[in-house]
Amino acid sequence: MFDIAIIAANVLLSIALVLGFWRLYLGPTLPDRVVALELIASLTIGYIAVYVISSGRTPFVDVAMVLALTAFLAAVGFARYLEKGGHRDDD
């Protein structure tokens, strides 16, 4: 049962990742693309979590935490850029 859950989680994460890349490609606006990048970062963290659970290699939790913090800082930086009057396609 555990193996089936791991496979199901990987399949669902893969489908979500493909849809995230599709949104990143289509856009149409810069905020849409940034949200897609945030989604891709979150899904990557999910992949790492599933790997840690299935293999028991706990040092990868640190990698997931660093990726989460980096994605958060990127989101804050983008929000600050838009707040300062950065380029937006949806005006």
Side-chain angles (χ1 to χ4, degrees), residues 18-27 32-34 36-37 40:
V18 167
L19 292 174
F21 275 113
W22 184 252
R23 175 49 56 192
L24 181 66
Y25 176 71
L26 287 181
D32 289 331
R33 290 191 168 104
V34 170
L37 282 174
I40 291 168

Side-chain angles (χ1 to χ4, degrees), residues 33-61:
R33 290 191 168 104
V34 170
V35 170
L37 282 174
E38 289 291 321
L39 174 68
I40 291 168
S42 298
L43 292 172
T44 305
I45 294 166
Y47 270 118
I48 294 170
V50 169
Y51 178 73
V52 166
I53 291 169
S54 66
S55 70
R57 295 186 181 185
T58 57
F60 284 104
V61 173

